[in-house]
Amino acid sequence: MSKKTFKNLFKFCFICSAAFISLNASNSIANANEVTASSIKDIKNMLGDARSEASEDEPYIISVKAGNYKLDSTIEIPSYTTLSFDEDANINCKSTGEYAIRIRNAENAVVEGGIFNGSGILVNGSDNVSIKDTVIENPPYGGIVVKGVNKQCSLSGNTVNNSKKWSITLLGAEFEGNIEENTITKSTEIAIYIYNSNLKGDIANNTIKNCKATGIYAGLSPIDGDIKENTLKNVKGQGIGIYHASHVNAIDGNMLDGIGGRDDGFNGNVAIMINADEGPGKKAYKTYAKKITNNTIKNVSYSGIALYSGPSGKKETSANQDKAFVKGNIEGNTLYNIGTYKPSKEWKKEIAKGGKVGAHVGIYVDTHARVYGDICENSITKSSQHGIYLRVGSIVNNIHSNTIKNVKEDGISVLSSKVTGSVYNNKVTNAKRAGLYVRENAVINKVTGNTFKQCAFKAVAIVPGGKIKNNKQK
C-alpha cells in the first residue's frame, strides 16, 4: 500500500469515527423516559406524568407488562408518548364505552401491542400517530376510528375481531398515511370504511375474512393512493366498492374469494364495484379508479368487476353519462366461477322481466359507465352468463387479448353500447350462445383477429339494429 493510499484510508476512518461519535451524542439528547406499568393505576399515573413532562427531546415510553387488566374509563395518550403493551397484556375495557383509548390533538403518539376486549381506539386531529400490532376484540362501535385532520400517521398490523359496526374507519377525516397489514374478521358492517374523508396513502396488504357486509368501501372520499394486495375471503357484501364521488389510483393485485350472498334478487354483490349512482332523481358525480389491474377474483355471487353510473333504465343517454369510469385499463385480472347466486322460485318472475340481466358477468360495464382505456388481457373462466358485458349507454375504447372460457351465454356481449376502438385478439372457448353478440343499438367500430371456438349459436351474432362498422372477423 502506498503512503498516499494509507493517509487517505486513515483520514476516511477518522471521519467515520467522528461522525459516529457525533450521531451518538445527538441521540443522547433525545433520551426517552422509559417506565414500566403493571396496573391500571400505574398506567394512568404515568400518562399524567407524560402529559406534563413528555417532549420532543424527552419522550415517554410506557411499557405495560403481560397480565390481565380491567380498564373502567377511557385513557388519553398525550404527545410524545408511546404506550407499549406486552402481546400478552389483556385489557378488559367493556366499561369504557366506545373507546378504550383516545388520541386527540396530539403529536408523536404511539399505541402498540396488547389485547383490548370490548372497546376501540379513537384518533382525532393528531400528527405522527401510529396504531400498530394491537388486537381489538368485540368493539361495540368501531375497532379503530379516525376523525379530523391527521398527518403522517399509520394504522398497521392490527387485528380487529367481531366489530359490531365498522372495524377500521375514517369518518369526516383527513388522513395522511397507510392502512396496511391489518387483519379483520367477522365485521358486522363494513370492514374498512372510508366516508366523507380524504385519504393520502394506500390500503394495502390487509386480510379481511368472514364478514357480514362489504370489505372495503369508499364513499364521498378521494383516495390519493392504491387499494392493493389485500386478501378478502368470505365477504357477504361487495368486495371493494368505490361509491359516490370517490376515487382511487389503482385497484391492483387483490385476492377476492367468496364474495356476495348478502343481497337477494338482481341487486347482487360484486367483487370490485365503481358506482356513481346517488339514487333516483339525484345527480351523480365523478366516481372512478385510474386502473383495475392484476386482481384475482373467485366464487362471486354476481359480477366480478362492475361499473355503474345510473340511473337504471333503457335510455342510451343520461345526465349521468360517464360519471362512473376507469381512466386507464381493466387489465390482467383473473376471474373464475362468477355468478354463483341461485334464485329461489319467487324470483322467476323478476328474472323473466330482466332482473338477472347483466348480473352474472365477469366484467360488466353497466348503465352509462365508461372505460377510457382498454379491457384487455383478462382471463375469465366459468360465468353463469357472459364473460364481458356492455349495457345501456356504456362506452369502452378497445376490448382485446382476453381469454374467456366456459360461459353459459356470450363470451362478449354488447347491448345499446359502444366500442369506439376495436374488439380484437380475444379467445373465446365454449360459449353456450355466441362468441361475440352485437345486440340492439350496439355499435362496434372494428372486429378483427379473434378466435371463437365451440360457440353453440354463432361465432359472431349481429341482431337487427346492432352494427359493426368494420368487420374483418373471418
Side-chain angles (χ1 to χ4, degrees), residues 98-114:
E98 292 179 357
Y99 306 116
I101 294 175
R102 286 192 293 248
I103 303 175
R104 299 186 293 184
N105 303 314
E107 56 183 315
N108 293 76
V110 177
V111 177
E112 61 181 4

Side-chain angles (χ1 to χ4, degrees), residues 24-34 55-61:
N24 281 337
S26 176
N27 285 342
S28 69
I29 295 172
N31 285 331
N33 190 344
E34 299 185 39
S55 67
E56 185 175 5
D57 291 337
E58 294 189 19
Y60 260 60
I61 300 175

Side-chain angles (χ1 to χ4, degrees), residues 355-370:
K356 189 183 172 189
V357 169
H360 295 191
V361 179
I363 298 174
Y364 184 25
V365 187
D366 196 5
T367 312
H368 308 126
R370 185 167 189 145

Side-chain angles (χ1 to χ4, degrees), residues 306-319:
L307 284 64
Y308 180 74
S309 277
S312 298
K314 295 184 178 180
K315 293 182 179 180
E316 293 179 42
T317 58
S318 167

Side-chain angles (χ1 to χ4, degrees), residues 136-152:
I136 301 173
E137 302 274 1
N138 307 305
Y141 183 63
I144 300 172
V145 178
V146 179
K147 300 180 179 180
V149 179
N150 306 273
K151 297 180 180 178
Q152 298 181 17

Side-chain angles (χ1 to χ4, degrees), residues 232-234 254-260 271 295-301 304 334-340 381:
L232 290 82
K233 187 172 179 62
N234 297 331
N254 301 282
M255 165 69 79
L256 302 101
D257 186 1
I259 306 299
N295 301 284
T296 299
I297 298 169
K298 301 189 293 184
N299 306 315
V300 181
S301 65
T334 300
L335 301 101
Y336 174 79
N337 198 24
I338 307 302
T340 61
T381 304

Side-chain angles (χ1 to χ4, degrees), residues 72-89:
D72 57 5
S73 61
T74 300
I75 55 176
E76 299 254 357
I77 312 300
S79 297
Y80 305 108
T81 301
T82 295
L83 186 58
S84 178
F85 293 86
D86 186 277
E87 63 179 6
D88 292 321

